């Protein structure tokens, strides 16, 4: 049934009229350019295509292992939790809740879904589309509420598993409240390392610009800090990044409102960084002009701050430099060949291991960095990025037993089912069996 529903829903989202409807609806509530919003619709449509037909059935594939004697066999099953909850953020109003909701349903659970109320109209319309495609209305619950109300509901309803995507602060609170029955895809202070081999500067500059400033930096995978080998630092890369950032404008939402940080808070953070010895403003650092964005939101030009590597690693600075600013804001630093161990030390000390990029085609360099880091979704090679994960590979953190994934069969099985072992032992008994002595 769910394979058929996925097939029909994927077809619906492939229709230009429907695709445009959802893209515009996302833009009504989330500050994204048309192309960025369309990307959500496209990924959701391809995901539904992936799980059409028998692909849902294959998610529940079991296995059997022969036992110790005739008639004994152990069977391993993927087993649903039953009542589950899904809580998702504002920055991906369609993609994150749709993929996690369908994953929960595919594995046989009964989910209650709460999307950030600022953007929940998008998923409300998607659920209506799923009903139109045949999803029984009683198969899921959808709630609009504030965070406190949802927290109370979770404590009273006591779901067997909750998927939370959002801030680390709320994630850690829920982990305690729900006694660990939770999977998390929380904050990401995501890093990019540029290796010693400088090539295709324009392309790498464009990817850096997209990673740091698309959706005004409001992605959990956004590039928060970039470690440039001195060869890159001496190239035209930073000036090209500055030129690309300057092309972003409010009119087409390639830069736009920041929903969780005020302009004042971002500028205050910038000024604290600029007090670190050797730091400097590379570009940006000013409020957007000629707009009507309410002051409770942020409006900042794409900003990059240089901080020397040795200063970053000092105890008094590290927490400040690695604070995630969910907006168009990144830190830039440089390193020499003999400082790579210090770069790796900086990575190891970070607590959020979501996405990362190692931009190099030097195989030894790639092995060194990948082998000594832990981020769950790590792109490696000249075309490496931190954002823009499609539906065809795992997206999620690593190094945390609470870590969730999204998009792939492995992610769905990990998050939305548990392992159950049933051992069949049907005989026959050996001939002339007698009760043995007590042991």
């Amino acid at each position: 049934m769910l394979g058929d529903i996925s097939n029909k829903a994927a077809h619906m989202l492939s229709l230009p009229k429907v695709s445009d409807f959802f893209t515009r609806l996302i833009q009504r509530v989330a500050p994204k350019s048309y192309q960025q919003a369309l990307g959500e619709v496209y990924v959701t449509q391809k995901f539904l295509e992936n799980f059409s037909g028998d692909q849902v059935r294959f998610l529940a594939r079991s296995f059997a292992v022969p036992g110790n004697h005739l008639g004994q066999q152990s069977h391993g099953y993927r087993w649903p939790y039953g009542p589950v909850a899904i809580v998702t953020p504002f920055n991906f109003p369609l993609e994150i809740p749709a993929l996690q909701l369908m994953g929960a349903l595919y594995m046989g659970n009964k989910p209650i879904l709460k999307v950030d109320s600022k953007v929940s109209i998008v998923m409300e319309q998607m659920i209506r589309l799923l009903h139109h495609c045949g999803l029984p209305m009683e198969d899921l619950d959808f709630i609009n509420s504030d965070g406190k109300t949802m927290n109370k509901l979770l404590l009273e309803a006591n779901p067997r598993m909750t998927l939370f995507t959002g801030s680390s602060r709320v994630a850690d609170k829920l982990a305690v409240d729900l006694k660990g029955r939770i999977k998390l895809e929380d904050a990401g202070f995501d890093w990019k390392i540029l290796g010693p081999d400088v090539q295709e500067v324009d392309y790498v500059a464009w990817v850096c610009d997209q990673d740091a400033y698309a959706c005004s930096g409001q992605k959990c995978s956004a590039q928060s800090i970039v470690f440039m080998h001195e060869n890159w630092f001496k190239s035209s890369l930073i000036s090209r990044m500055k030129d690309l950032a300057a092309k972003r404008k409010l009119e087409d939402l390639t830069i736009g409102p920041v929903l969780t940080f005020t302009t004042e808070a971002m500028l205050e953070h910038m000024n604290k960084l600029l007090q670190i010895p050797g730091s400097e403003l590379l570009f940006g650092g000013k409020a957007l002009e000629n707009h009507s964005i309410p002051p409770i939101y942020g409006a900042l030009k794409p900003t990059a701050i240089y901080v020397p590597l040795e200063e970053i690693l000092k105890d008094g600075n590290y927490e400040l430099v690695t604070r995630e600013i969910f907006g168009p804001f990144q830190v830039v630093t440089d390193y020499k060949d003999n400082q790579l161990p210090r770069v790796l030390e900086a990575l190891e000390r970070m607590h959020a291991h979501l996405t990362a990029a190692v931009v190099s085609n030097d195989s030894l360099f790639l092995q060194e960095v990948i082998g000594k880091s832990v981020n769950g979704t790590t792109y490696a090679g000249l075309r490496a990025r931190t954002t823009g994960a499609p539906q065809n590979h795992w997206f999620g953190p690593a190094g945390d037993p609470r870590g969730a994934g999204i998009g792939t069969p492995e992610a769905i099985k990990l998050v939305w089912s548990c392992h159950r072992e049933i051992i069949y032992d049907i005989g026959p008994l050996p001939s002339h069996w007698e009760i043995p002595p007590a042991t």
Side-chain angles (χ1 to χ4, degrees):
M1 181 191 77
L2 287 165
D4 291 343
I5 291 166
S6 297
N7 186 36
K8 291 171 186 172
H11 172 70
M12 291 288 288
L13 287 181
S14 74
L15 301 175
K17 184 177 180 181
V18 178
S19 173
D20 182 69
F21 170 81
F22 276 101
T23 302
R24 292 292 185 193
L25 187 58
I26 291 168
Q27 281 197 292
R28 290 290 299 272
V29 293
K32 297 190 180 194
S33 66
Y34 187 90
Q35 208 58 37
Q36 287 287 317
L38 178 62
E40 278 198 63
V41 182
Y42 177 80
V43 166
T44 305
Q45 189 262 333
K46 298 303 288 185
F47 170 87
L48 291 166
E49 270 185 9
N50 287 348
F51 292 97
S52 297
D54 283 326
Q55 295 307 313
V56 177
R57 190 190 314 275
F58 294 153
L59 288 170
R61 190 191 302 272
S62 59
F63 63 85
V65 178
N68 286 328
H69 49 253
L70 186 63
Q72 187 187 69
Q73 214 175 40
S74 59
H75 287 247
Y77 294 94
R78 298 313 302 176
W79 210 259
Y81 289 104
V84 297
I86 304 167
V87 182
T88 64
F90 74 89
N91 58 331
F92 284 88
L94 178 64
E95 182 182 333
I96 294 175
L99 270 59
Q100 294 291 16
L101 172 68
M102 296 310 292
L105 291 169
Y106 292 157
M107 297 313 295
N109 300 287
K110 169 69 182 288
I112 180 167
L113 171 65
K114 183 218 178 295
V115 182
D116 187 303
S117 296
K118 292 188 288 293
V119 302
S120 56
I121 189 174
V122 179
M123 203 56 205
E124 186 254 354
Q125 290 294 297
M126 185 64 196
I127 291 171
R128 291 182 185 276
L129 184 145
L130 292 169
H131 288 156
H132 174 76
C133 293
L135 182 70
M137 294 189 74
E138 62 272 15
D139 277 16
L140 72 103
D141 294 320
F142 182 62
I143 185 170
N144 287 300
S145 72
D146 60 16
K148 286 183 180 178
T149 304
M150 188 63 190
N151 191 256
K152 188 170 188 289
L153 185 149
L154 291 173
L155 291 173
E156 293 187 12
N158 198 26
R160 289 185 184 159
M161 216 293 291
T162 295
L163 179 281
F164 175 78
T165 306
S167 75
S168 293
R169 180 184 59 81
V170 177
D172 289 340
K173 178 188 180 338
L174 284 176
V176 174
D177 288 351
L178 301 176
K179 299 180 174 63
R181 293 189 299 273
I182 194 166
K183 287 288 184 185
L184 303 175
E185 198 262 270
D186 56 350
F189 188 83
D190 304 300
W191 51 263
K192 178 180 286 181
I193 296 179
L194 306 184
D197 46 329
V198 176
Q199 49 190 314
E200 304 293 353
V201 175
D202 282 355
Y203 179 82
V204 172
W206 173 74
V207 175
C208 285
D209 176 74
Q210 285 291 107
D211 283 346
Y213 305 127
C215 302
S216 302
Q218 294 170 98
K219 297 183 181 185
C220 48
S221 56
Q223 176 179 305
S224 303
I225 188 168
V226 57
F227 298 86
M228 295 184 183
H229 188 278
E230 61 179 334
N231 297 345
W232 281 101
F233 199 71
K234 293 171 185 173
S235 75
S236 59
L237 178 64
I238 291 176
S239 66
R240 294 296 295 122
M241 288 167 58
K242 182 178 180 180
D243 293 343
L244 289 166
K247 292 179 180 178
R248 294 184 172 273
K249 52 187 187 292
L250 197 54
E251 289 77 17
D252 60 6
L253 286 175
T254 48
I255 191 70
V258 175
L259 300 192
T260 54
F261 278 86
T262 64
T263 308
E264 185 181 3
M266 289 187 286
L267 290 174
E268 181 183 347
H269 180 70
M270 179 190 78
N271 289 328
K272 286 180 181 177
L273 290 177
L274 290 174
Q275 290 172 13
I276 296 172
S279 64
E280 63 174 295
L281 176 66
L282 296 175
F283 53 84
K286 295 180 180 177
L288 292 175
E289 298 161 348
N290 304 318
H291 63 78
S292 56
I293 298 169
I296 59 167
Y297 302 123
L300 187 72
K301 291 181 178 179
T303 297
I305 306 285
Y306 172 80
V307 182
L309 176 62
E310 292 302 326
E311 290 293 334
I312 291 173
L313 287 162
K314 290 181 179 177
D315 288 340
N317 296 335
Y318 188 81
E319 289 298 322
L320 174 67
V321 174
T322 58
R323 181 189 176 203
E324 184 184 19
I325 300 297
F326 214 55
F329 195 101
Q330 66 174 322
V331 173
V332 175
T333 193
D334 62 335
Y335 69 97
K336 295 179 170 61
D337 284 329
N338 63 359
Q339 289 180 299
L340 183 59
R342 299 288 278 163
V343 173
L344 296 172
E345 178 189 339
L347 308 186
E348 181 63 25
R349 286 169 64 181
M350 293 176 192
H351 65 85
H353 299 291
L354 185 54
T355 68
V358 189
V359 182
S360 175
N361 281 348
D362 182 326
S363 59
L364 292 176
F365 182 83
L366 290 175
Q367 288 174 21
E368 176 79 2
V369 175
I370 293 170
K372 294 182 178 177
S373 58
V374 71
N375 289 41
T377 302
T378 301
Y379 296 89
L382 176 65
R383 301 185 66 173
R385 63 191 195 270
T386 65
T387 64
Q391 71 295 330
N392 57 284
H393 70 59
W394 166 282
F395 181 85
D400 186 338
R402 306 170 302 172
I406 190 170
T408 62
E410 293 77 17
I412 293 169
K413 286 183 274 190
L414 172 82
V415 174
W416 295 117
S417 67
C418 56
H419 183 87
R420 185 179 185 192
E421 195 86 1
I422 297 177
I423 298 89
Y424 291 96
D425 207 347
I426 61 175
L429 290 175
S431 57
H432 312 301
W433 182 86
E434 294 180 358
I435 296 175
T439 59

